Amino acid sequence: MTDTPYVPPKVWTWNKENGGQFASINRPIAGATHDKELPVGKHPFQLYSLATPNGVKVTVMLEELLALGHKGAEYDAWLIKIGNGDQFGSGFVDINPNSKIPALMDRSGPEPVRIFESGSILFYLAEKFGAFLPKDIKARTEAMSWLFWQMGSAPYLGGGFGHFYAYAPFKIEYAIDRFAMEVKRQLDVLDRRLADNEYLAGRDYTIADMAVWPWYGALAKGLVYGAGEFLSVQDYKNVQRWTDQIAQRPAVKRGRMVNRVSGDPASQLHERHDASDFETKTQDKIETAKTA
């Protein structure tokens, strides 16, 4: 790092890796880098994902739908290793031209339907099954407003604060201060909303909670970026109550396990193809079987 002030060129060119920990997969162009077909399982829904906060949104939703008895929500969850560039394979790009997880194919009808962007996936599933999105226009609009709030706010948390605080190759005080201020403002927005409401849309648990919880619920528990103490997350008492409440839901516990590749091996279900996989194919059991 140099003390010489950076002066942007008249025309930016891509002549070096940029992005710290993720430099190897960052590039300024779209499209596939290699040919690779995606696997297809037996269930109506084929999910290609990883248990990042955006990925967890969708696995939680699918598990919640199954818990309600919607058998048509059965799914195969295939692991996409974004660190290896799986999201740039031709099959994945055909589903999501933006090369971001999660990506979903609905094969329940005569023609497959692709759905990309986590918020769009949540809305699609809520509409298809008539669940977790209120029918009342006021409550429905409130849920959608918080869903879109999350989609617009998360880049400040992940790409902004998370990148500069945890992943950038060197610390930049201005950038960390700028995004820490915004993330704390967002936590305060949530805390004020949850002071008088059990869930974000009101009394009902909706796709808005499923969208916000994997990001801000994890942040409130110090589980992302190692930034809990830095952001004084314990001060947001209503967010703490809300995230603890959601974390106790059985479907949420299952959803968090799917496509997870880090943490306690007992919490990792790399791929999910049947409900019984939670009991028989978590990583701890797979590793034990290998050594038996």
Side-chain angles (χ1 to χ4, degrees), residues 57-103:
K57 296 176 190 178
V58 177
T59 50
V60 164
M61 176 61 163
L62 288 165
E63 290 297 329
E64 291 281 14
L65 289 169
L66 291 170
L68 279 184
H70 293 288
K71 295 181 179 179
E74 268 294 354
Y75 69 104
D76 291 277
W78 303 94
L79 182 63
I80 299 296
K81 297 179 180 179
I82 61 175
N84 294 346
D86 289 354
Q87 70 275 32
F88 300 118
S90 57
F92 191 91
V93 174
D94 284 344
I95 302 177
N96 186 354
N98 195 38
S99 292
K100 302 288 184 181
I101 61 93

Coordinates of all heavy atoms in Angstrom, one line a residue, residues 57-103:
K57 N -31.8 -18.3 2.6 CA -33.2 -17.8 2.5 C -34.0 -18.9 1.8 O -35.2 -19.1 2.2 CB -33.2 -16.6 1.6 CG -32.5 -15.3 2.1 CD -32.6 -14.3 1.0 CE -31.7 -13.1 1.3 NZ -31.7 -12.1 0.2
V58 N -33.5 -19.4 0.7 CA -34.3 -20.3 -0.1 C -34.5 -21.7 0.5 O -35.6 -22.3 0.5 CB -33.7 -20.4 -1.5 CG1 -34.5 -21.4 -2.4 CG2 -33.7 -19.0 -2.2
T59 N -33.4 -22.3 1.1 CA -33.6 -23.6 1.8 C -34.5 -23.5 3.0 O -35.3 -24.4 3.2 CB -32.2 -24.1 2.1 OG1 -31.5 -23.2 2.9 CG2 -31.4 -24.6 0.9
V60 N -34.5 -22.4 3.7 CA -35.4 -22.2 4.8 C -36.8 -22.2 4.3 O -37.7 -22.8 4.8 CB -35.1 -20.9 5.6 CG1 -36.3 -20.5 6.5 CG2 -33.9 -21.1 6.4
M61 N -37.1 -21.4 3.2 CA -38.4 -21.3 2.6 C -38.9 -22.7 2.2 O -40.1 -23.1 2.4 CB -38.4 -20.4 1.4 CG -39.7 -20.3 0.7 SD -41.1 -19.7 1.7 CE -42.3 -19.2 0.4
L62 N -38.1 -23.5 1.5 CA -38.5 -24.8 1.0 C -38.8 -25.7 2.2 O -39.8 -26.5 2.2 CB -37.4 -25.4 0.1 CG -37.3 -24.7 -1.3 CD1 -36.0 -25.1 -1.9 CD2 -38.5 -25.1 -2.2
E63 N -38.0 -25.7 3.2 CA -38.2 -26.5 4.4 C -39.5 -26.1 5.1 O -40.2 -26.9 5.7 CB -37.0 -26.5 5.3 CG -35.8 -27.2 4.8 CD -36.0 -28.7 4.5 OE1 -36.8 -29.3 5.3 OE2 -35.4 -29.3 3.6
E64 N -39.7 -24.8 5.2 CA -41.0 -24.3 5.8 C -42.2 -24.7 5.0 O -43.2 -25.1 5.6 CB -40.9 -22.8 5.9 CG -39.9 -22.2 6.9 CD -40.4 -22.2 8.3 OE1 -41.4 -23.0 8.7 OE2 -39.7 -21.6 9.2
L65 N -42.1 -24.7 3.7 CA -43.2 -25.2 2.9 C -43.5 -26.7 3.1 O -44.6 -27.1 3.3 CB -43.0 -24.9 1.4 CG -43.0 -23.5 1.0 CD1 -42.4 -23.3 -0.4 CD2 -44.4 -22.9 1.0
L66 N -42.4 -27.5 3.2 CA -42.6 -28.9 3.4 C -43.2 -29.1 4.8 O -44.0 -30.0 5.0 CB -41.2 -29.6 3.3 CG -40.7 -29.7 1.8 CD1 -39.3 -30.2 1.8 CD2 -41.6 -30.6 1.0
A67 N -42.8 -28.3 5.8 CA -43.3 -28.5 7.2 C -44.8 -28.2 7.2 O -45.5 -28.7 8.1 CB -42.5 -27.5 8.1
L68 N -45.3 -27.3 6.3 CA -46.7 -27.0 6.2 C -47.5 -28.1 5.5 O -48.7 -28.1 5.4 CB -46.9 -25.7 5.5 CG -46.8 -24.4 6.3 CD1 -47.1 -23.2 5.4 CD2 -47.6 -24.4 7.5
G69 N -46.8 -29.1 4.9 CA -47.4 -30.1 4.2 C -47.5 -30.0 2.7 O -48.2 -30.7 2.0
H70 N -46.8 -29.0 2.1 CA -46.8 -28.8 0.7 C -45.8 -29.8 0.0 O -44.6 -29.5 -0.2 CB -46.4 -27.4 0.4 CG -47.4 -26.4 0.8 ND1 -48.6 -26.2 0.1 CD2 -47.4 -25.5 1.8 CE1 -49.3 -25.2 0.7 NE2 -48.6 -24.8 1.7
K71 N -46.2 -31.0 -0.3 CA -45.4 -32.0 -0.8 C -44.8 -31.6 -2.2 O -43.7 -32.1 -2.6 CB -46.1 -33.3 -1.0 CG -46.5 -33.9 0.4 CD -47.3 -35.2 0.2 CE -47.7 -35.8 1.6 NZ -48.4 -37.1 1.5
G72 N -45.5 -30.7 -2.9 CA -45.0 -30.2 -4.2 C -43.7 -29.4 -4.0 O -43.1 -29.0 -5.1
A73 N -43.3 -29.0 -2.8 CA -42.1 -28.2 -2.6 C -40.9 -29.1 -2.4 O -39.8 -28.6 -2.1 CB -42.3 -27.3 -1.4
E74 N -41.0 -30.4 -2.6 CA -39.8 -31.3 -2.5 C -38.7 -30.8 -3.5 O -39.0 -30.4 -4.6 CB -40.1 -32.7 -2.7 CG -40.5 -33.5 -1.5 CD -39.4 -33.6 -0.5 OE1 -38.2 -33.3 -0.8 OE2 -39.6 -34.1 0.6
Y75 N -37.5 -30.9 -3.0 CA -36.4 -30.4 -3.8 C -35.1 -31.2 -3.7 O -34.9 -31.9 -2.7 CB -36.2 -28.9 -3.4 CG -35.6 -28.7 -2.0 CD1 -34.2 -28.4 -1.9 CD2 -36.4 -28.9 -0.9 CE1 -33.7 -28.2 -0.6 CE2 -35.8 -28.7 0.4 CZ -34.5 -28.3 0.5 OH -34.0 -28.1 1.8
D76 N -34.3 -31.0 -4.7 CA -32.9 -31.5 -4.7 C -32.1 -30.2 -4.6 O -32.2 -29.3 -5.3 CB -32.5 -32.2 -6.0 CG -33.2 -33.5 -6.1 OD1 -32.7 -34.5 -5.6 OD2 -34.2 -33.6 -6.8
A77 N -31.1 -30.2 -3.6 CA -30.2 -29.1 -3.4 C -28.8 -29.5 -3.8 O -28.2 -30.4 -3.2 CB -30.2 -28.6 -2.0
W78 N -28.3 -28.9 -4.9 CA -27.0 -29.3 -5.4 C -26.0 -28.2 -5.0 O -26.3 -27.0 -5.0 CB -27.0 -29.4 -6.9 CG -28.0 -30.3 -7.4 CD1 -29.3 -30.1 -7.8 CD2 -27.8 -31.7 -7.6 NE1 -29.9 -31.2 -8.2 CE2 -29.0 -32.3 -8.1 CE3 -26.7 -32.6 -7.4 CZ2 -29.1 -33.6 -8.4 CZ3 -26.8 -33.9 -7.7 CH2 -28.0 -34.4 -8.2
L79 N -24.8 -28.6 -4.6 CA -23.8 -27.7 -4.1 C -23.1 -27.0 -5.2 O -22.6 -27.6 -6.1 CB -22.8 -28.4 -3.2 CG -21.7 -27.6 -2.6 CD1 -22.2 -26.6 -1.6 CD2 -20.7 -28.6 -1.8
I80 N -23.0 -25.6 -5.1 CA -22.3 -24.8 -6.0 C -21.1 -24.2 -5.3 O -21.3 -23.4 -4.4 CB -23.2 -23.7 -6.7 CG1 -24.3 -24.3 -7.5 CG2 -22.4 -22.8 -7.5 CD1 -23.9 -25.1 -8.7
K81 N -19.9 -24.6 -5.6 CA -18.7 -24.1 -4.9 C -18.3 -22.8 -5.6 O -17.6 -22.8 -6.6 CB -17.6 -25.1 -4.9 CG -18.0 -26.4 -4.2 CD -16.9 -27.4 -4.2 CE -17.3 -28.7 -3.5 NZ -16.2 -29.7 -3.5
I82 N -18.7 -21.7 -5.0 CA -18.4 -20.4 -5.7 C -16.9 -20.0 -5.7 O -16.4 -19.3 -6.5 CB -19.3 -19.2 -5.1 CG1 -19.0 -19.0 -3.6 CG2 -20.8 -19.5 -5.3 CD1 -19.7 -17.8 -3.0
G83 N -16.2 -20.5 -4.7 CA -14.8 -20.3 -4.6 C -14.0 -21.0 -5.8 O -13.0 -20.6 -6.2
N84 N -14.7 -22.0 -6.3 CA -14.1 -22.8 -7.4 C -14.6 -22.3 -8.8 O -14.2 -22.8 -9.8 CB -14.4 -24.3 -7.3 CG -13.7 -24.9 -6.1 OD1 -12.8 -24.3 -5.5 ND2 -14.1 -26.1 -5.8
G85 N -15.5 -21.3 -8.7 CA -16.1 -20.8 -10.0 C -17.2 -21.6 -10.6 O -17.5 -21.4 -11.8
D86 N -17.8 -22.5 -9.8 CA -18.9 -23.3 -10.4 C -20.0 -22.4 -11.0 O -20.7 -22.9 -11.9 CB -19.5 -24.2 -9.3 CG -18.6 -25.3 -8.8 OD1 -17.5 -25.5 -9.4 OD2 -19.0 -26.0 -7.9
Q87 N -20.2 -21.2 -10.4 CA -21.3 -20.4 -10.9 C -21.1 -19.8 -12.3 O -22.0 -19.2 -12.9 CB -21.5 -19.2 -9.9 CG -20.4 -18.2 -9.8 CD -19.3 -18.6 -8.9 OE1 -18.9 -19.7 -8.7 NE2 -18.6 -17.6 -8.3
F88 N -19.9 -20.0 -12.8 CA -19.6 -19.6 -14.2 C -19.7 -20.7 -15.2 O -19.3 -20.5 -16.4 CB -18.2 -18.9 -14.2 CG -18.0 -17.7 -13.3 CD1 -17.1 -17.8 -12.3 CD2 -18.8 -16.6 -13.5 CE1 -17.0 -16.7 -11.4 CE2 -18.7 -15.5 -12.7 CZ -17.8 -15.5 -11.6
G89 N -20.1 -21.9 -14.8 CA -20.4 -23.0 -15.7 C -21.5 -22.7 -16.6 O -22.5 -21.9 -16.2
S90 N -21.6 -23.2 -17.8 CA -22.6 -22.9 -18.8 C -24.0 -23.2 -18.3 O -25.0 -22.5 -18.5 CB -22.3 -23.5 -20.1 OG -22.2 -25.0 -19.9
G91 N -24.1 -24.4 -17.6 CA -25.4 -24.7 -17.1 C -26.0 -23.8 -16.1 O -27.2 -23.5 -16.1
F92 N -25.1 -23.3 -15.2 CA -25.5 -22.4 -14.2 C -25.9 -21.0 -14.8 O -26.9 -20.4 -14.5 CB -24.5 -22.2 -13.1 CG -25.0 -21.5 -11.9 CD1 -25.5 -22.1 -10.8 CD2 -24.9 -20.1 -11.8 CE1 -26.0 -21.4 -9.7 CE2 -25.4 -19.4 -10.7 CZ -25.9 -20.1 -9.7
V93 N -25.1 -20.6 -15.7 CA -25.3 -19.3 -16.4 C -26.6 -19.3 -17.1 O -27.3 -18.3 -17.3 CB -24.1 -18.9 -17.3 CG1 -24.5 -17.6 -18.1 CG2 -22.9 -18.7 -16.4
D94 N -27.0 -20.5 -17.7 CA -28.3 -20.6 -18.3 C -29.5 -20.3 -17.4 O -30.5 -19.8 -17.8 CB -28.5 -22.0 -19.0 CG -27.6 -22.2 -20.2 OD1 -27.2 -21.2 -20.8 OD2 -27.4 -23.3 -20.6
I95 N -29.3 -20.6 -16.1 CA -30.4 -20.4 -15.1 C -30.2 -19.0 -14.6 O -31.2 -18.2 -14.5 CB -30.3 -21.4 -14.0 CG1 -30.5 -22.8 -14.5 CG2 -31.4 -21.1 -13.0 CD1 -30.4 -23.9 -13.4
N96 N -29.0 -18.6 -14.3 CA -28.8 -17.2 -13.7 C -27.7 -16.5 -14.5 O -26.5 -16.8 -14.3 CB -28.5 -17.3 -12.3 CG -28.4 -15.8 -11.7 OD1 -28.5 -14.9 -12.4 ND2 -28.2 -15.7 -10.4
P97 N -28.1 -15.7 -15.4 CA -27.0 -15.0 -16.2 C -26.1 -14.1 -15.4 O -25.1 -13.6 -15.8 CB -27.8 -14.2 -17.2 CG -29.2 -14.0 -16.6 CD -29.4 -15.3 -15.8
N98 N -26.6 -13.8 -14.1 CA -25.8 -13.0 -13.2 C -24.7 -13.8 -12.5 O -24.0 -13.2 -11.7 CB -26.7 -12.2 -12.3 CG -26.0 -11.1 -11.6 OD1 -25.2 -10.4 -12.1 ND2 -26.4 -10.9 -10.3
S99 N -24.7 -15.1 -12.6 CA -23.7 -16.0 -12.0 C -23.6 -15.8 -10.5 O -22.6 -15.7 -9.9 CB -22.4 -15.8 -12.6 OG -22.3 -16.2 -14.0
K100 N -24.8 -15.7 -9.8 CA -24.8 -15.7 -8.4 C -25.8 -16.7 -7.8 O -26.8 -17.0 -8.4 CB -25.3 -14.3 -7.9 CG -24.5 -13.1 -8.4 CD -23.2 -13.0 -7.7 CE -22.4 -11.8 -8.1 NZ -21.1 -11.6 -7.5
I101 N -25.4 -17.3 -6.7 CA -26.3 -18.3 -6.1 C -27.3 -17.5 -5.2 O -27.0 -16.3 -4.8 CB -25.6 -19.3 -5.2 CG1 -24.8 -18.7 -4.1 CG2 -24.7 -20.1 -6.1 CD1 -25.5 -18.6 -2.8
P102 N -28.5 -18.0 -5.0 CA -29.0 -19.3 -5.4 C -29.7 -19.2 -6.8 O -30.1 -18.1 -7.2 CB -30.1 -19.6 -4.4 CG -30.6 -18.3 -3.9 CD -29.4 -17.3 -4.0
A103 N -29.8 -20.3 -7.5 CA -30.6 -20.4 -8.7 C -31.5 -21.6 -8.6 O -31.1 -22.7 -8.1 CB -29.6 -20.6 -9.9

